[in-house]
């Protein structure tokens, strides 16, 4: 029973409390708390760490318009040991999560996680993908969730303020106690991602034939037969050029080895190596634009799309077929070095074995991954149905998120009988550390590195300070674009193409729209054509501005030039937001037009920008950078790619033109209405990083010229013929390409007459331009690698897809 | 050949030029002079948006998460559970449970309508193809939260907003839709009178 209070003591207590602040231990802490919390919340040092599209918005938040410095959080630290805030900005992939967890473990307490964007929160639009972790909270303790796809910079600042509020409420003692939080165990990469906490369960389930899925697959994917091949004489009159090429080829490799299927030649695989040499050497097809494969019933078909860089003859599609179970196709990477990485990709994702390939290992996934995911019958954990819309969504749409449907409660699936005890120990170093010996030093840059433009890894072998050999390692942002794309209906792929090269979403939209329009024979109204060109060229301007800014970043001009570049970019993004509703993920083009007409005020604003402000900005960049002694000494003679090597490596875009090849698809194979505008193809002779810088600068000026003409000539009229969400192009296939800011963006689409593509492949310029990376870097210093990478200008969303 | 450091000094000139221009334009703005806006293609001076005190103007087409519209006058949701948004949704984050009457027959309204907020890619295709103007893209972007579990699936109650709110954030779009609806529901012009039997 409590003692009755003594009135006098109460009064005394009151008096003491009024005049003396600290009477108890808790009060003492309470006076310290606001000070420590204030200090902590006002000097958050984020880890300089970006994963995907959201990272671009994070960078914009740090730039002058939104200025995260106002919140005391501008000190982005490249080292986790100096950072206390991890902004998980973008899609967390299975290949990347071990690095993310390791970075988190290396940060010192008190530390915080801010999960930015739908992907980091819960997998986002890529949730169903086989290489995507559905939410970073599966591993890390998240403090604040920021919604949006992507969240705008203001939304991120809102999240930061939310975190500050949370820190304000935190007690000094509580934060101190957090120091004893255990480390998060680094997950392992086996046949799929393995969370080490689940190992006992997985071991128990091994070999028991336990269901891998809670729900049985109702609809299994269906394999279609490959198009029938016939003799060359079966080709129609409209394919005269193809027939001609086929005859020439047949004369050299044997008549019964060359056939025709659709609008392509089918070469027997026994003579494919010889045929490739004939095609490249005698017939002049020196540019291998695209090499990929498609999965058919019993057959794997490798498709190559060839061009001549002298711009004669148009496209030549050549195919090679092989058995699906015992695939074997001769590698042509010796004939066209640009095939090297594309063949590795076809092996990785489709399991086409290329004999004679010097380095046939997985490129986007990791060694040990179970299966080849782009095969039609390979189904991931969250697989529902072969095509969208999924029948569970409507009429009886009771929410069942992916994780509630699968055996392990997350996006993983293991082959029956998988024994997790075969996994390497937690602290194991990668077994292949290059061919190191006492003279050579292997060095790994990335995937978490401030200058790799995202989650990209470079494995270099050094002799002294010089690069002897270098291997690009990618796939840390492989978000299964193609697998998802083959389930999507045709229109659903538009917002996904936004997220390929997330700096140039409008141009990606355009390339995809044109590809499908070619496949389905759709016409576009005049006004829409103008709007498309305006958007695509504005995109080129912002991409090159960004790229020049960050090239300067890479050579040590830390953030200042990029701040100026980002400022101009923001104004163009305002236009995009006005017309399309989003700064980055525009989703603006549709088949047969654009989603909506230009809003009121768009054209005047665009005209002011194009005729006054942007030319001034380019002049400023030119004036201060082109002749700068630092830019010259860091870029001249660095990463030289001679003309013939650039073509051999299938380089495209500014990288190709900087090697002196005047090849621009807008001129070589005009699409949309580009043939109506006057502009020049910018080239530079040097082939070095400096030449690539000059080409980009020149291209901004040329784009402004096109924009001037387009903004002056835009007619009135409808902007779309027919906007429909269900499109069924006739059965057939197309390889269609556009000159994207980064190079040739191609779409290889195969339609079987259904509502979604049977095969959907993206020829990504960022990916293929990297195939010359090794050659460019050899003999240079480590510091030059970053300058060269910056001058190639890659975006990982597109590299890894 | 320029003397050593020439470009350094010139570069600093840019930096300081901008610094002073910021003050100068600020002073001009304070004096109410024209041509000193902070946003838009003619922006001058300090470029920073002082969020949260100041916000960027939101264009009408801006899109974050979808919302469902209910009629201000009747309180009834416009949604008829036709499922077109679910058919158009690229990441398939829309789940619709169609209502059933006591007779077991389906009704044209949703019993439950859910959106997985962490899957939605804010693309706006649902709003674009909805024939009933029932689903629209919201402008609210300040959605940061310290909790995720239980808040990542938005249900019918979370999603509903009034038609008046829709008209406020999408003034032009809503007016256009209202006009189209009026045209549709207007009684068809009477058929030309049959020629009088002679």
């Amino acid at each position: 029973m409590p003692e009755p209070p003594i009135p006098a003591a109460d009064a005394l207590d009151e008096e003491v409390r009024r005049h003396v602040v600290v009477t108890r231990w808790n009060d003492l802490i309470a006076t310290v708390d606001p000070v420590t919390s204030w200090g902590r919340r006002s000097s958050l040092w984020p880890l300089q760490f970006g994963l995907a599209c959201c990272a671009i918005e994070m960078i914009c938040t740090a730039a002058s318009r939104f200025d995260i410095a106002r919140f005391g959080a501008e000190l982005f630290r490249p080292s986790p040991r100096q950072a206390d805030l991890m902004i998980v900005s973008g899609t967390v992939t299975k290949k990347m999560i071990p690095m993310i967890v390791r970075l988190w473990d290396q940060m010192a307490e008190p530390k915080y996680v801010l999960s930015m964007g739908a992907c980091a929160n819960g997998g986002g639009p890529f949730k169903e993908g086989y290489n995507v972790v559905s939410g970073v909270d599966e591993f890390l303790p998240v403090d604040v969730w920021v919604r949006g796809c992507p969240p705008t910079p203001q939304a991120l600042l809102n999240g930061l303020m939310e975190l500050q509020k949370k820190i304000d409420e935190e007690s000094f003692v509580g934060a101190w106690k957090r120091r004893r939080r255990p480390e998060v165990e680094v997950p392992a990469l086996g046949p799929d991602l393995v969370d080490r906490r689940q190992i006992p369960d997985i071991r128990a389930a091994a070999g028991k034939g336990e269901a891998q899925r809670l729900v049985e697959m109702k609809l299994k994917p269906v394999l279609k037969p490959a198009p029938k091949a016939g003799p060359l004489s079966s080709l129609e009159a409209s394919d005269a050029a193809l027939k001609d090429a086929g005859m020439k080829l047949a004369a050299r490799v044997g008549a019964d080895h060359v056939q025709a299927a659709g609008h392509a030649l089918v070469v027997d695989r026994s003579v494919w190596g010889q045929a490739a040499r004939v095609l490249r050497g005698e017939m002049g097809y020196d540019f291998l634009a695209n090499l990929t494969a498609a999965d058919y019933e019993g057959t794997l078909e490798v498709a190559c799309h060839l061009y001549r860089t002298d711009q004669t003859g148009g496209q030549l599609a050549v195919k090679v077929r092989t058995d699906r179970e015992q695939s074997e196709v001769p590698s042509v990477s010796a004939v066209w070095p640009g095939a090297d990485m594309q063949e590795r990709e076809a092996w990785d994702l489709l399991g086409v074995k290329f004999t004679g390939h010097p380095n046939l290992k997985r490129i986007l996934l990791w060694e040990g991954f179970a299966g080849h995911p782009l095969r039609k019958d390979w189904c991931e954990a969250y697989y529902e149905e072969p095509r969208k819309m999924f029948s569970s969504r409507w009429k009886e749409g009771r929410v069942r998120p992916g994780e509630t449907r699968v055996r392990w409660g997350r996006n993983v699936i293991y082959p029956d009988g998988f024994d997790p005890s075969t996994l390497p120990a937690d602290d194991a170093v990668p077994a292949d550390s290059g061919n190191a010996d006492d003279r050579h030093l292997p060095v790994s840059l990335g995937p978490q590195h401030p200058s790799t433009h995202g989650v990209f890894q470079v494995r270099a072998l050094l002799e002294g300070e010089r690069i002897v050999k270098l291997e690009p390692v990618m796939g840390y942002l492989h978000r299964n674009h193609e697998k998802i794309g083959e389930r999507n209906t045709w229109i659903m792929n538009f917002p996904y193409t936004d997220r390929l090269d997330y700096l140039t979403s409008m141009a990606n939209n355009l390339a995809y729209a044109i590809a499908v329009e070619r496949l389905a024979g759709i016409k576009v109204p005049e006004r829409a054509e103008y709007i498309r060109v305006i958007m695509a060229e504005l995109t080129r301007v912002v991409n090159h501005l960004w790229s020049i800014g960050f090239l300067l970043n890479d050579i040590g001009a830390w953030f200042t030039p990029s701040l100026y570049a980002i400022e101009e970019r923001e104004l163009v993004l305002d236009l995009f937001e006005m017309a399309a509703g989003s700064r980055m993920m525009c989703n603006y083009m549709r088949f047969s037009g654009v989603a909506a007409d230009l809003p009121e005020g768009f054209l005047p604003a665009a005209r002011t920008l194009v005729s006054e402000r942007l030319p001034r900005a380019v002049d400023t960049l030119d004036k201060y950078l082109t002749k700068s002694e630092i830019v010259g000494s860091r870029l001249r003679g660095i990463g030289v790619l001679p003309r013939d090597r650039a073509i051999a490596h299938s380089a495209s875009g500014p990288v190709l033109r900087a090697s002196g090849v005047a090849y621009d698809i807008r001129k070589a194979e005009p699409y949309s209405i580009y043939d109506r505008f006057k502009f020049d193809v910018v080239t530079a002779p040097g082939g070095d990083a400096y030449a690539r810088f000059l080409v980009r600068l020149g291209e901004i000026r040329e784009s402004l010229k096109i924009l001037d003409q387009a903004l002056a000539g835009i007619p009135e009229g409808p902007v779309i013929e027919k906007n429909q969400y269900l499109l069924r192009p006739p059965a057939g296939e197309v390889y269609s390409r556009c000159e994207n800011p980064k190079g040739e963006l191609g779409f290889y689409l195969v339609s079987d007459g259904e509502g979604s593509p049977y095969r959907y492949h993206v020829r990504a310029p960022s990916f293929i331009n990297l195939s010359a990376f090794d050659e460019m870097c050899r003999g240079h210093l480590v510091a030059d690698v970053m300058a060269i990478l910056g001058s190639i200008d890659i975006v990982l969303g597109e590299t890894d897809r | 050949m320029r003397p050593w450091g020439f470009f350094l000094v010139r570069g600093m000139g840019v930096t300081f030029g901008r610094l002073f221009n910021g003050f100068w334009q600020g002073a001009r703005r304070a004096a109410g002079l024209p041509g000193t806006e902070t946003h838009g293609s003619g922006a001058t001076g300090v470029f920073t948006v002082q969020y949260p005190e100041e916000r960027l103007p939101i264009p009408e087409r801006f899109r974050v998460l979808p919302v469902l519209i209910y009629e201000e006058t009747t309180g009834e949701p416009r949604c008829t559970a036709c499922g077109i948004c679910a058919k158009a949704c690229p990441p398939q984050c829309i789940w619709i449970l169609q209502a059933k009457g006591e007779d077991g027959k389906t009704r044209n309204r949703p019993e439950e309508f859910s959106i997985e907020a962490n899957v939605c890619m804010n693309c706006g295709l649902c709003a674009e193809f909805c024939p009933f103007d029932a689903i629209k893209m919201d402008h609210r972007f300040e959605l940061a939260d310290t909790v995720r579990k239980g808040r990542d699936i938005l249900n019918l109650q979370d999603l509903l907003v009034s038609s008046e709110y829709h008209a406020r954030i999408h003034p032009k779009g809503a007016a256009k839709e209202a006009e189209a609806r009026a045209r549709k529901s207007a009684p068809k012009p009477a058929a030309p009178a049959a020629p009088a039997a002679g």
Side-chain angles (χ1 to χ4, degrees):
Chain A
M1 183 134 175
E3 269 178 59
I6 307 161
D10 240 11
L12 186 67
D13 207 29
E14 185 78 1
E15 199 72 1
V16 169
R17 217 172 281 167
R18 192 175 299 155
H19 295 288
V20 186
V21 182
V22 179
T23 51
R24 271 170 301 199
W25 180 238
N26 278 353
D27 289 354
L28 180 68
I29 291 170
T31 52
V32 181
D33 271 345
V35 181
T36 53
S37 299
W38 176 80
R40 203 169 275 151
R41 50 108 68 181
S42 313
S43 64
L44 284 167
W45 287 12
L47 179 62
Q48 191 181 24
F49 158 77
L51 293 174
C53 339
C54 285
I56 305 295
E57 289 294 57
M58 184 179 77
I59 294 169
C60 289
T61 314
S64 54
R65 193 180 218 179
F66 302 100
D67 195 12
I68 204 169
R70 297 179 295 125
F71 297 83
E74 78 275 30
L75 277 176
F76 280 81
R77 306 314 298 165
S79 164
R81 293 173 185 84
Q82 300 169 344
D84 57 1
L85 169 62
M86 180 184 251
I87 302 180
V88 185
S89 52
T91 315
V92 180
T93 63
K94 292 180 188 170
K95 196 168 174 178
M96 190 62 196
I97 186 72
M99 327 291 170
I100 298 175
V101 170
R102 197 158 281 151
L103 286 167
W104 167 255
D105 285 343
Q106 287 171 358
M107 286 165 66
E109 290 279 4
K111 53 188 175 182
Y112 307 93
V113 181
L114 188 150
S115 164
M116 179 185 184
C119 288
N121 290 358
F126 298 97
K127 181 173 178 176
E128 62 189 280
Y130 50 83
N131 190 28
V132 175
V133 176
S134 24
V136 73
D137 63 328
E138 281 184 9
F139 294 95
L140 304 187
V142 175
D143 293 287
V144 173
W145 311 87
V146 180
R147 277 182 193 165
C149 184
T152 60
Q154 292 183 357
L156 176 60
L157 289 178
N158 177 251
L160 190 70
M161 283 156 56
E162 203 62 39
L163 178 64
Q164 289 184 331
K165 265 186 231 157
K166 187 170 177 175
I167 296 174
D168 278 341
E169 287 159 14
E170 209 172 56
S171 141
F172 167 67
V173 178
W176 186 262
K177 277 183 188 152
R178 283 169 64 166
R179 281 168 182 253
R180 288 190 216 125
R181 272 200 290 194
E183 278 195 356
V184 180
E185 262 190 301
V186 178
L189 294 174
D192 205 332
L193 186 74
V194 182
D195 184 345
R196 287 178 192 277
R197 292 166 292 189
Q198 286 185 334
I199 282 184
D201 292 342
I202 297 170
R203 189 175 290 142
K208 284 191 192 151
E210 276 192 28
Q212 300 292 305
R213 289 164 216 274
L214 293 182
V215 183
E216 271 305 299
M217 286 195 281
K218 265 188 277 178
L219 286 165
K220 295 212 165 84
V222 183
L223 280 154
K224 297 272 164 94
K228 261 213 172 79
L232 287 173
S233 54
S234 66
L235 281 168
E236 283 167 33
S238 56
D239 280 326
L242 182 69
K243 197 170 172 182
D244 194 39
M247 291 299 194
K248 268 189 201 161
L249 191 62
R252 294 287 281 108
V253 300
D256 46 342
H257 291 317
V258 184
Q259 286 181 305
H263 302 286
L265 300 179
V266 179
V267 177
D268 195 274
R269 67 190 167 102
S270 60
V271 294
W272 173 228
Q274 192 198 346
R277 278 188 293 278
V278 172
L279 284 165
R280 171 154 164 72
E282 293 165 32
M283 296 171 65
Y285 286 98
D286 52 354
F287 190 77
L288 174 85
N290 178 46
L291 186 151
T292 185
D295 185 21
Y296 293 106
E297 196 181 356
T299 313
L300 282 171
E301 184 183 81
V302 177
C304 298
H305 297 92
L306 304 168
Y307 291 89
R308 296 192 182 112
T309 45
D310 61 5
Q311 305 181 16
T312 57
Q315 184 192 92
L316 180 69
V318 186
K319 294 177 168 180
V320 187
R321 288 178 177 172
T322 179
D323 184 67
R324 196 165 176 272
E325 308 311 323
Q326 305 278 318
S327 67
E328 221 169 77
V329 174
S331 165
V332 288
S333 59
V335 184
W336 293 286
D340 184 320
M341 278 164 44
Q342 301 187 62
E343 284 181 345
R344 278 178 65 190
E345 188 195 319
W347 157 246
D348 187 0
L349 301 183
L350 281 137
V352 185
K353 199 172 266 166
F354 290 93
T355 51
H357 190 287
N359 185 24
L360 194 67
K361 51 182 193 187
R362 289 193 184 260
I363 186 161
L364 295 178
L365 293 161
W366 59 91
E367 287 299 327
F369 185 85
H372 300 284
L374 275 184
R375 290 209 175 185
K376 286 279 168 190
D377 52 0
W378 191 96
C379 297
E380 60 271 72
Y382 288 165
Y383 172 88
E384 281 180 68
E385 281 168 35
R387 293 177 199 260
K388 291 177 182 175
M389 168 188 94
F390 300 143
S391 53
S392 61
R393 295 300 191 273
W394 177 54
K395 278 195 176 165
E396 290 295 323
R398 291 191 176 81
V399 194
R400 283 194 76 188
E403 53 270 24
T404 59
R405 290 195 303 263
V406 289
R407 171 75 174 81
W408 302 105
R410 53 185 66 199
N411 186 11
V412 292
I413 194 161
Y414 306 111
D416 201 32
F418 162 59
D419 178 11
S421 49
T422 55
L423 287 170
D426 180 16
D427 53 352
V429 277
D432 62 318
S433 45
N435 39 353
D437 52 47
D438 49 359
R439 284 187 56 210
H440 295 105
L441 177 73
V443 169
S444 164
L445 296 156
Q448 148 59 18
H449 190 281
S451 285
T452 50
H453 292 228
V455 281
F456 174 69
Q457 193 188 5
V458 176
R459 278 192 198 150
L461 197 65
L462 307 184
E463 188 176 331
E465 275 282 299
R466 303 267 164 195
I467 306 281
V468 180
K469 191 170 153 275
L470 173 150
E471 190 192 348
V473 181
M474 51 201 102
Y476 296 102
L477 190 55
H478 178 49
R479 357 183 224 195
N480 331 120
H481 188 87
E482 293 180 9
K483 185 85 179 173
I484 298 174
E486 287 170 16
R487 261 195 300 264
N488 283 350
T489 61
W490 296 88
I491 199 169
M492 286 177 186
N493 278 330
F494 271 116
Y496 281 95
T497 60
D498 286 337
R499 288 153 179 85
L500 275 173
D501 174 352
Y502 28 79
L503 289 170
T504 66
S505 64
M506 282 281 192
N508 304 343
N509 278 185
L510 176 61
Y512 177 64
I514 286 180
V516 177
E517 282 159 7
R518 280 183 183 158
L519 186 64
I522 299 175
K523 292 269 176 299
V524 182
E526 189 72 4
R527 184 176 169 83
E529 292 279 23
Y530 273 87
I531 295 176
R532 285 175 169 198
V533 168
I534 290 168
M535 294 306 183
E537 292 309 313
L538 282 173
T539 303
R540 196 178 315 275
V541 172
V542 290
N543 177 73
H544 287 353
L545 281 172
W546 182 277
S547 146
I548 290 172
F550 279 84
L551 172 64
L552 267 289
N553 233 16
D554 293 340
I555 63 174
W558 187 235
F559 225 53
T560 309
S562 9
L563 283 181
Y564 289 92
I566 292 172
E567 195 169 309
E568 305 306 320
R569 179 177 177 263
E570 285 286 334
L571 296 175
V572 180
L573 295 194
D574 282 353
L575 291 180
F576 288 165
E577 194 175 50
M578 207 170 167
S582 177
R583 290 155 49 87
M584 275 172 68
M585 303 309 172
C586 300
N587 184 23
Y588 186 54
M589 316 268 172
R590 294 285 179 275
F591 310 126
S592 83
V594 294
D597 201 355
L598 295 177
E600 215 175 288
F602 180 93
L603 286 173
R607 284 186 188 122
T608 327
L609 204 59
V610 167
S611 58
E612 289 166 27
R613 181 148 183 151
L614 290 174
R616 214 162 54 221
V618 185
D619 287 343
T620 315
L621 285 177
D622 195 0
K623 184 175 163 195
Y624 291 101
L625 300 181
T626 308
K627 289 200 177 132
S628 157
E629 54 212 354
I630 302 170
V631 172
S633 59
R634 284 301 308 277
L635 298 182
R636 276 181 211 266
I638 299 297
V640 178
L641 188 65
R643 190 194 152 90
D644 56 324
R645 298 307 296 163
I647 298 170
H649 276 292
S650 304
S652 60
V655 178
L656 181 66
R657 290 191 283 277
S659 296
V661 186
Y663 194 83
D664 187 317
I665 300 167
R666 289 173 296 173
K667 289 270 190 197
E669 206 182 66
Y671 53 93
S672 189
I673 50 166
Y674 274 106
D675 47 352
R676 295 186 205 170
F677 301 112
K678 282 203 186 74
F679 66 100
D680 297 320
V681 176
V682 185
T683 58
D688 55 1
Y690 188 67
R692 293 190 273 278
F693 160 75
L694 286 183
V695 166
R696 291 211 175 88
L697 206 57
E699 281 189 7
I700 301 180
R701 290 187 203 276
E702 294 305 318
S703 288
L704 292 176
K705 265 195 220 166
I706 299 176
L707 280 167
D708 259 333
Q709 298 168 49
L711 286 168
I714 182 168
E716 289 297 320
V719 294
I720 189 157
E721 203 91 313
K722 189 178 174 208
N723 198 7
Q724 47 182 11
Y725 63 91
L726 272 180
L727 181 83
R728 291 177 205 276
E733 61 172 71
V734 71
Y735 173 73
S736 158
R737 59 199 193 134
C738 286
E739 186 67 40
N740 242 40
K742 301 217 163 46
E744 174 177 337
L745 177 67
F747 284 92
Y748 175 60
L749 305 171
V750 180
S751 165
D752 56 356
E754 295 282 334
S756 46
Y758 182 75
R759 176 81 179 99
Y760 170 85
H761 172 70
V762 184
R763 186 260 189 224
S766 296
F767 174 64
I768 293 167
N769 283 352
L770 277 174
S771 97
F773 189 36
D774 176 26
E775 211 166 294
M776 286 179 185
C777 291
R778 287 193 184 187
H780 288 301
L781 301 174
V782 181
D784 294 332
V785 171
M786 290 313 155
I788 295 168
L789 188 65
S791 76
I792 299 177
D793 186 17
I794 58 164
V795 156
L796 269 298
E798 187 179 70
T799 307
D800 296 345
R801 282 154 290 147
Chain B
M1 192 63 195
R2 305 279 191 178
W4 187 89
F6 173 83
F7 286 95
L8 182 76
V9 173
R10 203 166 74 162
M12 292 313 284
V14 180
T15 307
F16 284 108
R18 284 184 69 96
L19 178 66
F20 292 119
N21 188 43
F23 287 115
W24 173 238
Q25 298 295 348
R28 292 190 45 182
R29 193 172 300 135
L33 290 173
T36 54
E37 60 267 34
T38 41
H39 314 307
S41 49
T44 49
V46 176
F47 193 59
T48 308
V49 182
Q50 300 290 340
Y51 181 88
E53 290 82 14
E54 183 193 11
R55 285 168 169 79
L56 270 181
I58 294 178
E60 180 170 339
R61 291 181 190 169
F62 183 64
R63 45 187 155 82
V64 190
L65 288 169
V67 283
L68 289 172
I69 316 285
Y70 67 84
E71 219 46 80
E72 185 75 22
T73 44
T74 59
E76 280 298 305
R78 285 182 183 173
C79 179
T80 61
C82 71
I84 286 179
C85 51
K87 279 178 195 143
C89 174
Q92 297 284 291
C93 65
I94 301 180
W95 303 72
I96 305 168
L97 180 63
Q98 207 173 19
K100 275 188 184 142
E102 278 172 17
D103 52 359
K105 283 189 184 153
T106 53
R107 296 273 186 274
N108 285 343
R109 56 185 178 78
E111 170 78 40
E112 193 46 84
F113 194 111
S114 321
I115 290 179
E116 290 176 76
N118 290 332
V119 175
C120 174
M121 69 203 296
N122 306 170
C123 69
L125 285 180
C126 50
E128 193 173 320
F129 290 106
C130 176
F132 303 98
D133 305 319
I135 187 163
K136 292 287 162 201
M137 301 309 281
D138 199 3
H139 283 185
R140 279 172 293 185
F141 62 87
E142 285 153 318
L143 302 167
D145 208 335
T146 48
V147 187
R148 178 192 136 186
K149 287 268 152 24
R151 295 190 196 173
D152 48 0
I153 294 170
L154 306 173
N155 62 26
L156 195 56
Q157 284 317 308
D158 303 326
L159 288 167
L160 280 174
V161 297
S162 72
S163 55
E164 186 266 330
Y165 172 82
H166 166 51
R168 200 168 63 236
I169 64 169
H170 304 119
K172 283 188 195 128
K176 222 172 169 183
E177 290 155 20
E179 198 184 301
R181 271 200 308 276
R183 220 180 309 127
K184 226 181 197 173
S185 60
K188 285 195 184 117

